[in-house]
Amino acid sequence: MITASWLLLGGYVFFLAGSLLLFLNFVYSIRRSAEVPEDFLPEVAILFPLRGGDPQLEQSLRGICSQEYPNMRVFLLLDSASDPAMDTIRQIQAEMPNAPIEVEVMEPVFDTCSLKCNSLIQKFRKLDPRYEIVATLDGDVIPHPQWVQEMVKPFYNTSVDFVTGYRWFVPTGSLGSLVRYTWNAAAWVHVHLNGIVWGGSFAIRRTAWERCRVGDYWQRSISDDISSTESARRNHCKPVLVASNLMACREECSLWFAFRWCSRQMLMIRHATPTIWRRLCAMAGVLMLLHLASFFLIGGGIYTGNPELLNVSLAGLLLFWSGSFLFLPALEWLARSCIRKHQSPITWKWQIGFQLFFFIPLTILCFCVGMLYAMRTRIVSWRGIQYQINPKQEVKRLNYAPYEAVKQSSKSVW
């Protein structure tokens, strides 16, 4: 058992060394940038699917209507004319009559995908050909004035077809926000290196949407971003991460909400992109194996009174948690350097930083249990709509009702 404890320590060191290499590769890749001529101003259509009034919807609409980019049009897509979001939209239209926005109601034509994918497909197919770039935005994202401009810049390189931003959660001190922050920070590296796009801040070249048949992927999916990722992967397109469009999210959440949110991200990957899902399963398996072995050997050391076995096993576990914790300040510094370019600086109490060490094991547990949860989930719910995912990963929408009719039962997403 002594030999096993030393092998376990070596396994932790190997895992941390691999994580460090991935992190350095990540930092190098997002720090590269190219100069773009000021007159590069292609026509941009922004598709903004809505269902219900997100808490930050008013700020989000004000942000997208205050863009400094000249050649753009915003299309607000709802699945019902009675949607509560219409109240906020009318308010913004009254205050900003010259805002480049249009409101359209999209019928739930397809029952093999989410309502969001349904709206995006229909609008994409009837867009005016003059729009060279099409971007998507979520209602809980507050875009800064240069958001569109930053999303467009990478397309100056004609080999770029997919562009994405990312969400950065700001911890508030609650259990849920700390777990979600830790999980999301670690995921940032893997999301970029695996070429995963985020539908909350996403753009695609119009010709690539047609060539890569992205609409066909959306039509069979519950997630627009992960299905876009699979389309890009199968067509050998590497999405470009726009670091300046790392969007700060300052929402509070409970521990249960954080767990469901993390599980939902993995469920979407399981459903839409098997290759990345297998990588996640391998990583979760290694983490579970290392931790179970650690606890077994620590217990063995205590039971047998063997100090070397106990100390080496405990040292390996603490080394891994400490090493993982030390990545967080580096990621936080990197995120703050991206966010402060166009958004309000991130500030939070320094005491939270020390608390994060104790949330490393809780986040790992959340990740591993969330993977198991994602493996067995077959019916999911989003704002009053239920979707069934069968063993072949095919989606079936089980019901439909305007959001107003179900808003009492859909207080939170999922």
Side-chain angles (χ1 to χ4, degrees), residues 7-287:
L7 288 174
L8 185 63
L9 178 61
Y12 280 125
V13 172
F14 182 79
F15 196 99
L16 287 172
S19 299
L20 178 60
L21 291 176
L22 289 176
F23 174 73
L24 294 175
N25 183 20
F26 169 67
V27 173
Y28 172 74
S29 63
I30 71 167
R31 282 300 183 181
R32 291 180 296 176
S33 60
E35 293 295 325
V36 176
E38 293 184 0
D39 61 351
F40 179 67
L41 300 169
E43 291 277 356
V44 179
I46 300 166
L47 308 189
F48 200 156
L50 295 169
R51 180 172 167 84
D54 284 286
Q56 301 186 85
L57 179 57
E58 182 179 343
Q59 294 172 277
S60 183
L61 288 173
R62 291 186 189 281
I64 200 61
C65 291
S66 303
Q67 293 294 302
E68 297 177 357
Y69 192 83
N71 303 329
M72 56 166 275
R73 193 75 182 168
V74 182
F75 299 93
L76 305 177
L77 312 178
L78 297 91
D79 61 83
S80 169
S82 62
D83 194 286
M86 280 301 304
D87 295 335
T88 307
I89 294 171
R90 293 190 186 101
Q91 177 186 339
I92 297 299
Q93 287 178 318
E95 296 178 10
M96 308 173 73
N98 297 321
I101 59 175
E102 295 180 22
V103 181
E104 295 188 36
V105 176
M106 298 295 170
E107 296 294 328
V109 175
F110 308 112
D111 64 358
T112 57
C113 60
S114 67
L115 289 179
K116 180 181 180 182
C117 289
N118 174 81
S119 296
L120 290 174
I121 295 167
Q122 291 184 68
K123 186 57 189 176
F124 237 110
R125 288 176 176 172
K126 62 180 184 180
L127 267 178
D128 191 303
R130 76 173 187 273
Y131 294 112
E132 301 174 52
I133 309 297
V134 182
T136 65
L137 186 71
D138 282 348
D140 59 350
V141 177
I142 305 174
H144 55 77
Q146 292 82 36
W147 180 79
V148 174
Q149 187 175 357
E150 295 296 318
M151 293 298 286
V152 166
K153 281 182 180 180
F155 290 109
Y156 183 69
N157 181 341
T158 56
S159 66
V160 172
D161 290 319
F162 294 75
V163 172
T164 184
Y166 190 63
R167 189 193 334 245
W168 186 260
F169 290 104
V170 180
T172 61
S174 68
L175 292 177
S177 72
L178 289 170
V179 168
R180 185 174 63 175
Y181 166 79
T182 307
W183 190 97
N184 187 70
W188 188 19
V189 177
H190 296 280
V191 161
H192 175 60
L193 296 179
N194 281 296
I196 298 175
V197 306
W198 174 45
S201 187
F202 170 64
I204 184 171
R205 197 183 295 274
R206 179 73 173 274
T207 53
W209 189 84
E210 298 166 352
R211 185 182 73 253
C212 298
R213 298 170 50 233
V214 178
D216 292 344
Y217 285 85
W218 286 350
Q219 195 171 328
R220 305 189 302 269
S221 179
I222 198 172
S223 167
D224 60 305
D225 35 25
I226 303 301
S227 53
S228 298
T229 298
E230 182 65 3
S231 173
R233 190 190 67 81
R234 288 182 178 270
N235 287 277
H236 310 290
C237 299
K238 176 67 175 177
V240 173
L241 174 66
V242 179
S244 54
N245 277 353
L246 181 66
M247 313 305 292
C249 179
R250 296 172 169 85
E251 293 180 356
E252 181 62 270
C253 75
S254 65
L255 182 59
W256 174 238
F257 184 93
F259 170 74
R260 296 184 71 189
W261 180 86
C262 295
S263 301
R264 184 169 75 246
Q265 312 311 306
M266 293 177 280
L267 173 63
M268 297 300 98
I269 291 174
R270 188 208 81 188
H271 159 60
T273 174
T275 300
I276 299 176
W277 170 249
R278 285 192 290 270
R279 294 173 190 166
L280 280 178
C281 287
M283 184 168 67
V286 170
L287 283 173

Side-chain angles (χ1 to χ4, degrees), residues 251-391:
E251 293 180 356
E252 181 62 270
C253 75
S254 65
L255 182 59
W256 174 238
F257 184 93
F259 170 74
R260 296 184 71 189
W261 180 86
C262 295
S263 301
R264 184 169 75 246
Q265 312 311 306
M266 293 177 280
L267 173 63
M268 297 300 98
I269 291 174
R270 188 208 81 188
H271 159 60
T273 174
T275 300
I276 299 176
W277 170 249
R278 285 192 290 270
R279 294 173 190 166
L280 280 178
C281 287
M283 184 168 67
V286 170
L287 283 173
M288 284 192 283
L289 183 62
L290 288 173
H291 280 76
L292 288 174
S294 292
F295 292 126
F296 175 77
L297 292 174
I298 289 171
I302 295 173
Y303 181 76
T304 61
N306 188 325
E308 183 180 1
L309 178 60
L310 174 62
N311 292 336
V312 174
S313 302
L314 188 59
L317 190 62
L318 292 177
L319 173 68
F320 180 73
W321 289 352
S322 300
S324 301
F325 170 73
L326 291 176
F327 280 113
L328 290 179
L331 288 165
E332 178 68 24
W333 172 81
L334 188 61
R336 291 190 180 200
S337 67
C338 296
I339 290 171
R340 67 169 171 251
K341 293 180 181 178
H342 301 297
Q343 302 170 66
S344 301
I346 294 177
T347 56
W348 38 275
K349 297 179 180 179
W350 62 268
Q351 294 94 331
I352 293 178
F354 291 101
Q355 295 176 26
L356 287 172
F357 174 80
F358 301 99
F359 284 85
I360 294 295
L362 184 57
T363 303
I364 293 172
L365 177 64
C366 182
F367 170 62
C368 294
V369 175
M371 287 289 293
L372 297 174
Y373 181 84
M375 287 180 184
R376 60 183 296 273
T377 300
R378 291 291 178 266
I379 295 181
V380 294
S381 186
W382 186 77
R383 301 196 182 189
I385 306 298
Q386 287 191 324
Y387 303 92
Q388 183 181 59
I389 304 176
N390 68 23

